[in-house]
Amino acid sequence: MQIAILLYEGVTALDAIGPYETLSRLPDARPVFVADRPGLVRNEKGSLGLFADAALGDVPTPDLIVVPGAPDTSGPRESAAVRDWLRAADATSTWTTSVCTGSLILAEAGLLTGRRATTHWHELDVLASYGVQATGDRVVTDGKYVTAAGVSSGIDMGLTLAGRIGGDRVAQSIQLLIEYDPQPPYDAGSPQKAPADIVAELRPAA
């Protein structure tokens, strides 16, 4: 099973690495990082490099597509090469997925129109503007499309898919191997739980 994980300048690293750490442990998984051209891609801070093994055209028919997000997705959203690759790859993929604002990239390519999907809570209104049924759920499955909310939810999305593909026992084994047992010191991981003043401070200006 070939798993194509899209990279681009300014990507949020955990959006890509969370699904990689879960899905790459599936039996027969063949993950490959793809970008406009092979080579080093810098994350949103510019301080971390991820390496794209292949160009988009080198991976035309992956079984599973992962589109990570970023604080600014205008680059990949405005890229004809990315849009064309996503549309063509999606035509034959078994699963098409995203993490965080990666769903905006899928939406720009026209792949989520009329579907239920999620994204980072900052961008739910933007996602809805594409004709998507935007929801704040952590992981949303609509047919073969699986979208995850903000950053860390990509791990949940990966485990959800691992269960669908390999079965519960395989997914549970992966969860145990990566010791994914969240016990955060704070309960402020969503706008519904975080203190109101912090939510107001971090909410984008209208």
Side-chain angles (χ1 to χ4, degrees):
M1 179 180 62
Q2 188 178 53
I3 302 168
I5 304 171
L6 179 67
L7 295 180
Y8 51 89
E9 287 296 324
V11 69
T12 297
L14 187 57
D15 285 12
I17 297 303
Y20 168 81
E21 286 293 347
T22 50
L23 296 170
S24 67
R25 297 171 190 270
L26 283 167
D28 301 320
R30 293 178 287 113
V32 56
F33 289 92
V34 301
D36 277 340
R37 60 185 65 82
L40 194 67
V41 175
R42 291 287 176 181
N43 77 324
E44 63 193 87
K45 303 293 186 183
S47 55
L48 178 65
L50 300 173
F51 194 85
D53 307 292
L56 297 175
D58 297 331
V59 187
T61 56
D63 301 290
L64 196 159
I65 303 164
V66 178
V67 181
D72 180 4
T73 57
S74 59
R77 276 195 282 169
E78 295 169 5
S79 168
V82 169
R83 287 198 305 271
D84 291 347
W85 177 77
L86 281 173
R87 290 167 181 161
D90 176 71
T92 57
S93 69
T94 303
W95 300 99
T96 297
T97 76
S98 66
V99 181
C100 197
T101 52
S103 57
L104 302 181
I105 301 170
L106 291 180
E108 182 70 40
L111 302 180
L112 297 180
T113 304
R115 299 187 180 277
R116 293 182 69 252
T118 190
T119 189
H120 192 283
W121 61 275
H122 273 190
E123 304 296 333
L124 286 168
D125 289 346
V126 177
L127 183 61
S129 74
Y130 282 97
V132 179
Q133 298 176 43
T135 167
D137 294 347
R138 191 161 174 83
V139 178
V140 175
T141 301
D142 188 330
K144 73 171 188 176
Y145 300 92
V146 186
T147 55
V151 192
S152 65
S153 60
I155 300 173
D156 298 61
M157 185 270 286
L159 287 173
T160 299
L161 262 181
R164 293 288 298 273
I165 295 167
D168 292 342
R169 187 174 180 84
V170 168
Q172 289 168 333
S173 297
I174 292 171
Q175 182 178 9
L176 179 58
L177 280 169
I178 66 173
E179 203 168 346
Y180 182 54
D181 185 23
Q183 300 175 43
Y186 303 102
D187 191 20
S190 75
Q192 293 75 32
K193 296 178 179 179
D197 62 319
I198 294 179
V199 175
E201 180 182 339
L202 297 179
R203 190 178 296 279

